[in-house]
Amino acid sequence: MQRTANLNLSGRDQKLAATFFEDPQRAQDTRQSDNAGDEAFWLRYRAFTDTAQRQCR
């Protein structure tokens, strides 16, 4: 899982993603944000979660 995160997310992205476990609303706010940086992050995060999900099957 960590290898997948390292391939898809920067260290900064990983720190942000980790906050979603303690604050799920932050994930929702980030996903729905109109901010270009948040949108770019969400695309990288989705690539990570899709890859991680395939590897866990």
Side-chain angles (χ1 to χ4, degrees):
M1 187 74 77
Q2 186 62 53
R3 183 182 309 160
T4 301
N6 291 343
L7 291 172
N8 289 277
L9 302 172
S10 69
R12 184 177 183 175
D13 287 346
Q14 290 180 40
K15 287 179 183 179
L16 175 58
T19 67
F20 297 164
F21 293 97
E22 289 186 18
D23 186 4
Q25 184 60 47
R26 186 169 187 180
Q28 185 70 3
D29 293 343
T30 302
R31 185 181 70 81
Q32 293 180 323
S33 173
D34 290 333
N35 177 287
D38 288 343
E39 290 178 9
F41 163 78
W42 198 258
L43 291 174
R44 294 188 301 273
Y45 182 69
R46 285 298 309 194
F48 159 68
T49 59
D50 290 346
T51 302
Q53 186 177 43
R54 282 193 305 275
Q55 290 178 343
C56 291
R57 289 185 183 169

